[in-house]
Structure formats: structure tokens, C-alpha cells
Amino acid sequence: VGINVTGTAAIPNGQPYRAIYTLDNGILIAGASYNLIGGTSASQKNVSSGNTGSGIRITGAAMRNTVWGNYLGTNSTGTGAVPNLRAMSITDRSAFNVVGGTGAGQRNLLSGNANLGIYTQDDTDSNSIIGNYIGLGADGLLALGNNSSGININGNVDGWTIANNVIASNNGDGLVIPSQRTVVQGNIIGLAADGITARGNANSGIYMPGATFTTVGGTTASLRNIISACINYHGIALTGGGNNTIQGNYVGTDITGTLSRGSNQYGIAVYGASTSN
């Protein structure tokens, strides 16, 4: 979708000269529910790349859709970029959708895009982003960053789950969460999937501008986030908001906690009026 038959070059849906609000997506789920995009085997994978909008957009109060095993923004082998504007957008009251999973073949590849990996806005509550590679190649090692943040949970958003993803090599923050009651657990941010090789995001690993009642990490090893190798700013940065819980994470090391993979500035930085954390 948006790419030639050999999976190597863009044949975009949408016209590049049109205004941004009319840019066209590769796959659009508009108000529809209980759909499966992709699957767990290689033959079920969609490659939605090269489009002038998002590779996949879920919008219009679309509910309980599942996105498994797709390549969004790369060639068909996951070894090079064929950029969409964004890999994926979830907007306009869409809720309870699941992007990825922990099972075999459920991982999506959201890399190499001209803007964000995943973008959300407009009261999109209780969606889940689980087990994806965001900013890496299909091997989990190749740097193939999106040209902005990996994930931006934007707007009046409540109750998201972001778990077990590898978010690395993006030209912005790894994860931006100005939302409430988001759970962020088991992610590797700023390293390759091996948890050792530095693949830093350009800004902070996790940026929390105005986040409230959000949980980053947990009390067991499986809930721990590894947040390291940030190029310009901090492992975790809080500005505004409050009542957040940050615990059990490794910030500035590899997955074993024994090798330095330091952030450029602070491990955790709390700014402004962020209170009661």
C-alpha cells in the first residue's frame, strides 16, 4: 500500500502538494470496529509505506481494532526507509484499539517515517501499544528512526498502555505523554532490542509535559523500563502535571544494569510545577 510491487520504492497515495489536512493514508479505519489489520504470519503482513498521510489511521470513534505484524514506513524487508508522513495515527475518540502484542508475529515495525512513529489526539482513551519496534529495522538493531518522536500521546487522553516496545533512534523524544493514567512498562528506550547497543533518541527518553497519575515502571523486573543513551536531554523529564509514579527503572545503563549507556544530561529531571510525584 503506497509502495511498488517489489517493496522497494514509494508509489504514494495522496498528492504531496495538497494541504496537510487532506493528506491521504495508506489504510484508513474510520468509525469501524473489531477489524484485524495484518496478522501473525509473514504472508499476512501489510507494508503500508510511502503515503503522504499515515501508513495506518484509526479515527472516527473506531473501537477494538487490532494491528499486528505490519511494516509502516519501511521497505518490505524492514531494512530501509520508504517514509509515510507518520507511521500511524489514532484520533477522534477512537478507543480500546491494540497496536502490536507479545505473541509471535504480532510486532509491528513503525520506522523510517518523515514525522512521528505513532501520533494520537482528540479523546482517544484506553488504547494499547505493545511489543513494537519504533525507530529500528526489522532485526531490532539497525537504526531506522522516525524524523520526530517515536510515540506522542497527545491531547485529552486517558488510560493508555505502552508496554514491551523498543523505541530507539528517533529524531525527537522516545515517548511523549502529556496524558493521564497512562501505564508505561517493560519498554527499552534508546537501546537496540538486545538491550545493550546504544540507539539513542535525539531528545529525552520519556518526556512528560503535564502528565498526571501516570505510572512509569513497577516493582518487578518485567515491569522495568530501560531508558538510556539520550543524545541531548534526559532519561525522564517531567514538566507540569503531577501525581505520577516512577519506580524500578534502569536509567542510563544497559539491560543488565552493569554497563554505562548514560543520558547526556540528567537521569530524571523534574521541572516547573510538577508536584506530588
Side-chain angles (χ1 to χ4, degrees):
V1 183
I3 194 168
N4 67 7
V5 71
T6 61
T8 57
I11 308 177
N13 293 291
Q15 300 300 318
Y17 61 83
R18 294 163 66 187
I20 192 166
Y21 60 83
T22 61
L23 293 177
D24 291 312
N25 308 287
I27 299 170
L28 175 66
I29 303 293
S33 298
Y34 296 97
N35 296 288
L36 173 62
I37 306 171
T40 58
S41 70
S43 64
Q44 294 172 325
K45 170 183 71 184
N46 299 292
V47 180
S48 186
S49 300
N51 301 288
T52 61
S54 297
I56 298 174
R57 184 179 180 189
I58 297 175
T59 191
M63 304 284 181
R64 302 186 187 279
N65 298 286
T66 301
V67 181
W68 279 348
N70 303 286
Y71 285 8
L72 308 177
T74 74
N75 59 23
S76 61
T77 59
T79 58
V82 184
N84 301 294
L85 177 64
R86 299 180 180 123
M88 188 166 183
S89 301
I90 302 175
T91 61
D92 188 22
R93 300 165 290 117
S94 296
F96 301 103
N97 300 286
V98 177
V99 180
T102 58
Q106 294 176 346
R107 175 190 302 125
N108 298 285
L109 185 64
L110 305 105
S111 302
N113 294 281
N115 190 253
L116 294 155
I118 299 178
Y119 175 75
T120 76
Q121 65 177 16
D122 303 330
D123 300 306
T124 52
D125 295 338
S126 302
N127 296 287
S128 299
I129 304 171
I130 301 172
N132 304 287
Y133 286 172
I134 303 172
L136 295 170
D139 63 355
L141 183 64
L142 175 69
L144 201 60
N146 298 291
N147 198 32
S148 185
S149 297
I151 303 174
N152 189 335
I153 309 299
N154 191 42
N156 184 23
V157 173
D158 193 348
W160 278 63
T161 297
I162 302 170
N164 303 113
N165 302 283
V166 184
I167 308 169
S169 301
N170 297 290
N171 194 29
D173 301 294
L175 170 61
V176 183
I177 40 174
S179 54
Q180 57 187 351
R181 284 180 285 271
T182 296
V183 175
V184 182
Q185 294 176 327
N187 301 282
I188 297 174
I189 302 176
L191 302 175
D194 61 7
I196 298 172
T197 306
R199 292 287 183 263
N201 297 290
N203 295 331
S204 293
I206 300 177
Y207 176 40
M208 301 169 65
T212 58
F213 298 100
T214 284
T215 299
V216 179
T219 59
T220 66
S222 65
L223 302 180
R224 172 187 303 142
N225 299 287
I226 315 298
I227 308 160
S228 298
C230 306
I231 295 171
N232 291 313
Y233 294 110
H234 317 301
I236 303 171
L238 292 82
T239 60
N243 297 290
N244 302 292
T245 300
I246 299 172
Q247 60 185 175
N249 304 288
Y250 284 1
V251 184
T253 77
D254 74 332
I255 199 168
T256 69
T258 61
L259 299 176
S260 174
R261 296 292 183 268
S263 303
N264 191 51
Q265 296 187 24
Y266 300 113
I268 300 175
V270 184
Y271 292 104
S274 188
T275 60
S276 302
N277 300 292

PDB file of all heavy atoms in Angstrom, residues 224-257:
ATOM      1  N   ARG A 224      10.015  -3.172  34.525  1.00  0.00           N
ATOM      2  CA  ARG A 224      11.077  -2.170  34.443  1.00  0.00           C
ATOM      3  C   ARG A 224      11.236  -1.652  33.023  1.00  0.00           C
ATOM      4  O   ARG A 224      11.263  -2.412  32.058  1.00  0.00           O
ATOM      5  CB  ARG A 224      12.381  -2.799  34.907  1.00  0.00           C
ATOM      6  CG  ARG A 224      13.629  -1.956  34.701  1.00  0.00           C
ATOM      7  CD  ARG A 224      14.861  -2.756  35.030  1.00  0.00           C
ATOM      8  NE  ARG A 224      14.798  -3.259  36.397  1.00  0.00           N
ATOM      9  CZ  ARG A 224      15.224  -4.458  36.768  1.00  0.00           C
ATOM     10  NH1 ARG A 224      15.718  -5.307  35.867  1.00  0.00           N
ATOM     11  NH2 ARG A 224      15.146  -4.823  38.019  1.00  0.00           N
ATOM     12  N   ASN A 225      11.368  -0.332  32.864  1.00  0.00           N
ATOM     13  CA  ASN A 225      11.786   0.271  31.599  1.00  0.00           C
ATOM     14  C   ASN A 225      13.299   0.498  31.630  1.00  0.00           C
ATOM     15  O   ASN A 225      13.862   0.874  32.666  1.00  0.00           O
ATOM     16  CB  ASN A 225      11.094   1.614  31.385  1.00  0.00           C
ATOM     17  CG  ASN A 225       9.592   1.483  31.315  1.00  0.00           C
ATOM     18  OD1 ASN A 225       9.045   1.002  30.329  1.00  0.00           O
ATOM     19  ND2 ASN A 225       8.903   1.935  32.364  1.00  0.00           N
ATOM     20  N   ILE A 226      13.948   0.276  30.491  1.00  0.00           N
ATOM     21  CA  ILE A 226      15.354   0.633  30.304  1.00  0.00           C
ATOM     22  C   ILE A 226      15.359   1.907  29.469  1.00  0.00           C
ATOM     23  O   ILE A 226      14.891   1.899  28.328  1.00  0.00           O
ATOM     24  CB  ILE A 226      16.142  -0.475  29.580  1.00  0.00           C
ATOM     25  CG1 ILE A 226      15.812  -1.860  30.152  1.00  0.00           C
ATOM     26  CG2 ILE A 226      17.637  -0.182  29.624  1.00  0.00           C
ATOM     27  CD1 ILE A 226      16.160  -2.044  31.596  1.00  0.00           C
ATOM     28  N   ILE A 227      15.866   3.002  30.029  1.00  0.00           N
ATOM     29  CA  ILE A 227      15.763   4.314  29.373  1.00  0.00           C
ATOM     30  C   ILE A 227      17.163   4.918  29.353  1.00  0.00           C
ATOM     31  O   ILE A 227      17.658   5.396  30.383  1.00  0.00           O
ATOM     32  CB  ILE A 227      14.781   5.222  30.139  1.00  0.00           C
ATOM     33  CG1 ILE A 227      13.439   4.506  30.359  1.00  0.00           C
ATOM     34  CG2 ILE A 227      14.567   6.533  29.391  1.00  0.00           C
ATOM     35  CD1 ILE A 227      12.612   5.095  31.476  1.00  0.00           C
ATOM     36  N   SER A 228      17.796   4.891  28.200  1.00  0.00           N
ATOM     37  CA  SER A 228      19.221   5.225  28.164  1.00  0.00           C
ATOM     38  C   SER A 228      19.625   5.877  26.848  1.00  0.00           C
ATOM     39  O   SER A 228      18.833   5.958  25.907  1.00  0.00           O
ATOM     40  CB  SER A 228      20.045   3.941  28.390  1.00  0.00           C
ATOM     41  OG  SER A 228      19.767   3.389  29.652  1.00  0.00           O
ATOM     42  N   ALA A 229      20.874   6.355  26.828  1.00  0.00           N
ATOM     43  CA  ALA A 229      21.558   6.826  25.621  1.00  0.00           C
ATOM     44  C   ALA A 229      20.885   8.022  24.959  1.00  0.00           C
ATOM     45  O   ALA A 229      21.035   8.225  23.752  1.00  0.00           O
ATOM     46  CB  ALA A 229      21.710   5.682  24.608  1.00  0.00           C
ATOM     47  N   CYS A 230      20.155   8.840  25.731  1.00  0.00           N
ATOM     48  CA  CYS A 230      19.551  10.047  25.151  1.00  0.00           C
ATOM     49  C   CYS A 230      20.655  10.977  24.665  1.00  0.00           C
ATOM     50  O   CYS A 230      21.663  11.166  25.340  1.00  0.00           O
ATOM     51  CB  CYS A 230      18.688  10.752  26.190  1.00  0.00           C
ATOM     52  SG  CYS A 230      17.452   9.677  26.939  1.00  0.00           S
ATOM     53  N   ILE A 231      20.465  11.571  23.513  1.00  0.00           N
ATOM     54  CA  ILE A 231      21.549  12.323  22.890  1.00  0.00           C
ATOM     55  C   ILE A 231      21.643  13.739  23.437  1.00  0.00           C
ATOM     56  O   ILE A 231      22.726  14.258  23.701  1.00  0.00           O
ATOM     57  CB  ILE A 231      21.379  12.314  21.361  1.00  0.00           C
ATOM     58  CG1 ILE A 231      21.543  10.872  20.846  1.00  0.00           C
ATOM     59  CG2 ILE A 231      22.367  13.252  20.683  1.00  0.00           C
ATOM     60  CD1 ILE A 231      21.185  10.677  19.401  1.00  0.00           C
ATOM     61  N   ASN A 232      20.503  14.420  23.659  1.00  0.00           N
ATOM     62  CA  ASN A 232      20.532  15.825  24.055  1.00  0.00           C
ATOM     63  C   ASN A 232      20.005  16.120  25.453  1.00  0.00           C
ATOM     64  O   ASN A 232      20.506  17.009  26.115  1.00  0.00           O
ATOM     65  CB  ASN A 232      19.753  16.676  23.054  1.00  0.00           C
ATOM     66  CG  ASN A 232      20.441  16.770  21.713  1.00  0.00           C
ATOM     67  OD1 ASN A 232      21.640  17.018  21.656  1.00  0.00           O
ATOM     68  ND2 ASN A 232      19.710  16.553  20.643  1.00  0.00           N
ATOM     69  N   TYR A 233      19.002  15.396  25.916  1.00  0.00           N
ATOM     70  CA  TYR A 233      18.362  15.805  27.161  1.00  0.00           C
ATOM     71  C   TYR A 233      18.413  14.703  28.216  1.00  0.00           C
ATOM     72  O   TYR A 233      19.478  14.251  28.579  1.00  0.00           O
ATOM     73  CB  TYR A 233      16.947  16.299  26.880  1.00  0.00           C
ATOM     74  CG  TYR A 233      16.944  17.567  26.053  1.00  0.00           C
ATOM     75  CD1 TYR A 233      16.514  17.556  24.727  1.00  0.00           C
ATOM     76  CD2 TYR A 233      17.419  18.768  26.573  1.00  0.00           C
ATOM     77  CE1 TYR A 233      16.540  18.704  23.968  1.00  0.00           C
ATOM     78  CE2 TYR A 233      17.450  19.924  25.813  1.00  0.00           C
ATOM     79  CZ  TYR A 233      17.014  19.892  24.510  1.00  0.00           C
ATOM     80  OH  TYR A 233      17.039  21.029  23.756  1.00  0.00           O
ATOM     81  N   HIS A 234      17.295  14.255  28.720  1.00  0.00           N
ATOM     82  CA  HIS A 234      17.255  13.468  29.937  1.00  0.00           C
ATOM     83  C   HIS A 234      16.646  12.090  29.708  1.00  0.00           C
ATOM     84  O   HIS A 234      15.898  11.874  28.764  1.00  0.00           O
ATOM     85  CB  HIS A 234      16.441  14.200  30.999  1.00  0.00           C
ATOM     86  CG  HIS A 234      16.731  15.656  31.084  1.00  0.00           C
ATOM     87  ND1 HIS A 234      17.988  16.149  31.366  1.00  0.00           N
ATOM     88  CD2 HIS A 234      15.938  16.751  30.891  1.00  0.00           C
ATOM     89  CE1 HIS A 234      17.959  17.471  31.360  1.00  0.00           C
ATOM     90  NE2 HIS A 234      16.729  17.859  31.060  1.00  0.00           N
ATOM     91  N   GLY A 235      16.922  11.195  30.651  1.00  0.00           N
ATOM     92  CA  GLY A 235      16.251   9.911  30.590  1.00  0.00           C
ATOM     93  C   GLY A 235      14.748  10.078  30.713  1.00  0.00           C
ATOM     94  O   GLY A 235      13.983   9.636  29.863  1.00  0.00           O
ATOM     95  N   ILE A 236      14.301  10.726  31.792  1.00  0.00           N
ATOM     96  CA  ILE A 236      12.891  11.030  32.018  1.00  0.00           C
ATOM     97  C   ILE A 236      12.796  12.500  32.408  1.00  0.00           C
ATOM     98  O   ILE A 236      13.541  12.959  33.282  1.00  0.00           O
ATOM     99  CB  ILE A 236      12.299  10.160  33.139  1.00  0.00           C
ATOM    100  CG1 ILE A 236      12.454   8.668  32.829  1.00  0.00           C
ATOM    101  CG2 ILE A 236      10.822  10.494  33.360  1.00  0.00           C
ATOM    102  CD1 ILE A 236      12.087   7.755  33.996  1.00  0.00           C
ATOM    103  N   ALA A 237      11.885  13.245  31.781  1.00  0.00           N
ATOM    104  CA  ALA A 237      11.698  14.657  32.095  1.00  0.00           C
ATOM    105  C   ALA A 237      10.233  14.925  32.390  1.00  0.00           C
ATOM    106  O   ALA A 237       9.368  14.606  31.574  1.00  0.00           O
ATOM    107  CB  ALA A 237      12.168  15.535  30.937  1.00  0.00           C
ATOM    108  N   LEU A 238       9.951  15.494  33.576  1.00  0.00           N
ATOM    109  CA  LEU A 238       8.601  15.872  33.961  1.00  0.00           C
ATOM    110  C   LEU A 238       8.502  17.388  34.011  1.00  0.00           C
ATOM    111  O   LEU A 238       9.328  18.054  34.654  1.00  0.00           O
ATOM    112  CB  LEU A 238       8.240  15.317  35.339  1.00  0.00           C
ATOM    113  CG  LEU A 238       8.069  13.818  35.512  1.00  0.00           C
ATOM    114  CD1 LEU A 238       9.422  13.140  35.694  1.00  0.00           C
ATOM    115  CD2 LEU A 238       7.188  13.519  36.711  1.00  0.00           C
ATOM    116  N   THR A 239       7.493  17.934  33.340  1.00  0.00           N
ATOM    117  CA  THR A 239       7.216  19.365  33.431  1.00  0.00           C
ATOM    118  C   THR A 239       5.713  19.534  33.617  1.00  0.00           C
ATOM    119  O   THR A 239       4.928  19.084  32.797  1.00  0.00           O
ATOM    120  CB  THR A 239       7.665  20.117  32.167  1.00  0.00           C
ATOM    121  OG1 THR A 239       6.973  19.599  31.027  1.00  0.00           O
ATOM    122  CG2 THR A 239       9.152  19.969  31.939  1.00  0.00           C
ATOM    123  N   GLY A 240       5.308  20.178  34.705  1.00  0.00           N
ATOM    124  CA  GLY A 240       3.888  20.339  34.980  1.00  0.00           C
ATOM    125  C   GLY A 240       3.256  19.021  35.396  1.00  0.00           C
ATOM    126  O   GLY A 240       3.907  17.984  35.528  1.00  0.00           O
ATOM    127  N   GLY A 241       1.952  19.058  35.608  1.00  0.00           N
ATOM    128  CA  GLY A 241       1.241  17.852  35.993  1.00  0.00           C
ATOM    129  C   GLY A 241       1.658  17.387  37.378  1.00  0.00           C
ATOM    130  O   GLY A 241       2.156  18.138  38.206  1.00  0.00           O
ATOM    131  N   GLY A 242       1.453  16.090  37.650  1.00  0.00           N
ATOM    132  CA  GLY A 242       1.849  15.551  38.936  1.00  0.00           C
ATOM    133  C   GLY A 242       1.149  14.260  39.271  1.00  0.00           C
ATOM    134  O   GLY A 242       0.400  13.702  38.463  1.00  0.00           O
ATOM    135  N   ASN A 243       1.422  13.787  40.490  1.00  0.00           N
ATOM    136  CA  ASN A 243       0.861  12.534  40.980  1.00  0.00           C
ATOM    137  C   ASN A 243       1.261  11.342  40.112  1.00  0.00           C
ATOM    138  O   ASN A 243       0.487  10.394  39.946  1.00  0.00           O
ATOM    139  CB  ASN A 243      -0.665  12.631  41.096  1.00  0.00           C
ATOM    140  CG  ASN A 243      -1.098  13.668  42.103  1.00  0.00           C
ATOM    141  OD1 ASN A 243      -0.923  13.506  43.305  1.00  0.00           O
ATOM    142  ND2 ASN A 243      -1.635  14.781  41.589  1.00  0.00           N
ATOM    143  N   ASN A 244       2.469  11.410  39.568  1.00  0.00           N
ATOM    144  CA  ASN A 244       2.989  10.312  38.760  1.00  0.00           C
ATOM    145  C   ASN A 244       3.881   9.409  39.610  1.00  0.00           C
ATOM    146  O   ASN A 244       4.483   9.844  40.593  1.00  0.00           O
ATOM    147  CB  ASN A 244       3.802  10.864  37.583  1.00  0.00           C
ATOM    148  CG  ASN A 244       2.976  11.778  36.709  1.00  0.00           C
ATOM    149  OD1 ASN A 244       2.059  11.331  36.036  1.00  0.00           O
ATOM    150  ND2 ASN A 244       3.287  13.074  36.726  1.00  0.00           N
ATOM    151  N   THR A 245       3.983   8.145  39.221  1.00  0.00           N
ATOM    152  CA  THR A 245       4.820   7.180  39.925  1.00  0.00           C
ATOM    153  C   THR A 245       5.889   6.654  38.974  1.00  0.00           C
ATOM    154  O   THR A 245       5.568   6.117  37.910  1.00  0.00           O
ATOM    155  CB  THR A 245       3.975   6.007  40.450  1.00  0.00           C
ATOM    156  OG1 THR A 245       2.994   6.500  41.358  1.00  0.00           O
ATOM    157  CG2 THR A 245       4.861   4.991  41.159  1.00  0.00           C
ATOM    158  N   ILE A 246       7.156   6.809  39.356  1.00  0.00           N
ATOM    159  CA  ILE A 246       8.286   6.340  38.556  1.00  0.00           C
ATOM    160  C   ILE A 246       9.111   5.429  39.448  1.00  0.00           C
ATOM    161  O   ILE A 246       9.673   5.874  40.445  1.00  0.00           O
ATOM    162  CB  ILE A 246       9.124   7.524  38.037  1.00  0.00           C
ATOM    163  CG1 ILE A 246       8.267   8.419  37.134  1.00  0.00           C
ATOM    164  CG2 ILE A 246      10.355   7.032  37.293  1.00  0.00           C
ATOM    165  CD1 ILE A 246       8.943   9.708  36.730  1.00  0.00           C
ATOM    166  N   GLN A 247       9.180   4.138  39.124  1.00  0.00           N
ATOM    167  CA  GLN A 247       9.867   3.216  40.008  1.00  0.00           C
ATOM    168  C   GLN A 247      10.401   2.004  39.257  1.00  0.00           C
ATOM    169  O   GLN A 247       9.832   1.586  38.252  1.00  0.00           O
ATOM    170  CB  GLN A 247       8.951   2.752  41.143  1.00  0.00           C
ATOM    171  CG  GLN A 247       7.708   2.041  40.688  1.00  0.00           C
ATOM    172  CD  GLN A 247       6.758   1.707  41.836  1.00  0.00           C
ATOM    173  OE1 GLN A 247       5.669   1.203  41.596  1.00  0.00           O
ATOM    174  NE2 GLN A 247       7.136   1.971  43.066  1.00  0.00           N
ATOM    175  N   GLY A 248      11.535   1.510  39.748  1.00  0.00           N
ATOM    176  CA  GLY A 248      12.070   0.244  39.269  1.00  0.00           C
ATOM    177  C   GLY A 248      12.757   0.285  37.924  1.00  0.00           C
ATOM    178  O   GLY A 248      13.083  -0.769  37.370  1.00  0.00           O
ATOM    179  N   ASN A 249      12.988   1.464  37.352  1.00  0.00           N
ATOM    180  CA  ASN A 249      13.564   1.567  36.017  1.00  0.00           C
ATOM    181  C   ASN A 249      15.092   1.603  36.073  1.00  0.00           C
ATOM    182  O   ASN A 249      15.688   1.958  37.081  1.00  0.00           O
ATOM    183  CB  ASN A 249      13.059   2.854  35.353  1.00  0.00           C
ATOM    184  CG  ASN A 249      11.551   2.917  35.320  1.00  0.00           C
ATOM    185  OD1 ASN A 249      10.916   2.201  34.566  1.00  0.00           O
ATOM    186  ND2 ASN A 249      10.965   3.774  36.154  1.00  0.00           N
ATOM    187  N   TYR A 250      15.721   1.238  34.957  1.00  0.00           N
ATOM    188  CA  TYR A 250      17.147   1.453  34.765  1.00  0.00           C
ATOM    189  C   TYR A 250      17.299   2.651  33.830  1.00  0.00           C
ATOM    190  O   TYR A 250      16.842   2.599  32.681  1.00  0.00           O
ATOM    191  CB  TYR A 250      17.807   0.225  34.127  1.00  0.00           C
ATOM    192  CG  TYR A 250      18.024  -0.946  35.047  1.00  0.00           C
ATOM    193  CD1 TYR A 250      17.628  -0.938  36.380  1.00  0.00           C
ATOM    194  CD2 TYR A 250      18.653  -2.101  34.564  1.00  0.00           C
ATOM    195  CE1 TYR A 250      17.832  -2.028  37.207  1.00  0.00           C
ATOM    196  CE2 TYR A 250      18.865  -3.198  35.388  1.00  0.00           C
ATOM    197  CZ  TYR A 250      18.455  -3.159  36.700  1.00  0.00           C
ATOM    198  OH  TYR A 250      18.662  -4.244  37.507  1.00  0.00           O
ATOM    199  N   VAL A 251      17.930   3.708  34.315  1.00  0.00           N
ATOM    200  CA  VAL A 251      18.071   4.940  33.540  1.00  0.00           C
ATOM    201  C   VAL A 251      19.561   5.217  33.367  1.00  0.00           C
ATOM    202  O   VAL A 251      20.256   5.544  34.334  1.00  0.00           O
ATOM    203  CB  VAL A 251      17.372   6.121  34.240  1.00  0.00           C
ATOM    204  CG1 VAL A 251      17.446   7.377  33.363  1.00  0.00           C
ATOM    205  CG2 VAL A 251      15.919   5.778  34.548  1.00  0.00           C
ATOM    206  N   GLY A 252      20.059   5.039  32.148  1.00  0.00           N
ATOM    207  CA  GLY A 252      21.465   5.311  31.872  1.00  0.00           C
ATOM    208  C   GLY A 252      22.355   4.085  31.849  1.00  0.00           C
ATOM    209  O   GLY A 252      23.572   4.215  31.776  1.00  0.00           O
ATOM    210  N   THR A 253      21.747   2.884  31.912  1.00  0.00           N
ATOM    211  CA  THR A 253      22.544   1.664  31.826  1.00  0.00           C
ATOM    212  C   THR A 253      22.005   0.777  30.711  1.00  0.00           C
ATOM    213  O   THR A 253      20.990   1.076  30.088  1.00  0.00           O
ATOM    214  CB  THR A 253      22.489   0.861  33.135  1.00  0.00           C
ATOM    215  OG1 THR A 253      21.226   0.168  33.227  1.00  0.00           O
ATOM    216  CG2 THR A 253      22.649   1.755  34.344  1.00  0.00           C
ATOM    217  N   ASP A 254      22.683  -0.348  30.518  1.00  0.00           N
ATOM    218  CA  ASP A 254      22.137  -1.373  29.636  1.00  0.00           C
ATOM    219  C   ASP A 254      21.120  -2.209  30.406  1.00  0.00           C
ATOM    220  O   ASP A 254      20.810  -1.929  31.572  1.00  0.00           O
ATOM    221  CB  ASP A 254      23.250  -2.227  29.043  1.00  0.00           C
ATOM    222  CG  ASP A 254      23.841  -3.201  30.063  1.00  0.00           C
ATOM    223  OD1 ASP A 254      23.815  -2.897  31.276  1.00  0.00           O
ATOM    224  OD2 ASP A 254      24.310  -4.272  29.653  1.00  0.00           O
ATOM    225  N   ILE A 255      20.594  -3.246  29.770  1.00  0.00           N
ATOM    226  CA  ILE A 255      19.521  -4.046  30.373  1.00  0.00           C
ATOM    227  C   ILE A 255      19.986  -4.832  31.600  1.00  0.00           C
ATOM    228  O   ILE A 255      19.171  -5.199  32.458  1.00  0.00           O
ATOM    229  CB  ILE A 255      18.906  -4.983  29.309  1.00  0.00           C
ATOM    230  CG1 ILE A 255      17.524  -5.472  29.751  1.00  0.00           C
ATOM    231  CG2 ILE A 255      19.846  -6.126  28.973  1.00  0.00           C
ATOM    232  CD1 ILE A 255      16.757  -6.155  28.640  1.00  0.00           C
ATOM    233  N   THR A 256      21.299  -5.054  31.711  1.00  0.00           N
ATOM    234  CA  THR A 256      21.815  -5.776  32.868  1.00  0.00           C
ATOM    235  C   THR A 256      22.076  -4.860  34.062  1.00  0.00           C
ATOM    236  O   THR A 256      22.325  -5.340  35.173  1.00  0.00           O
ATOM    237  CB  THR A 256      23.132  -6.492  32.517  1.00  0.00           C
ATOM    238  OG1 THR A 256      24.164  -5.510  32.300  1.00  0.00           O
ATOM    239  CG2 THR A 256      22.976  -7.359  31.282  1.00  0.00           C
ATOM    240  N   GLY A 257      22.057  -3.565  33.833  1.00  0.00           N
ATOM    241  CA  GLY A 257      22.368  -2.623  34.900  1.00  0.00           C
ATOM    242  C   GLY A 257      23.840  -2.534  35.228  1.00  0.00           C
ATOM    243  O   GLY A 257      24.221  -1.973  36.260  1.00  0.00           O
TER     244      GLY A 257
END
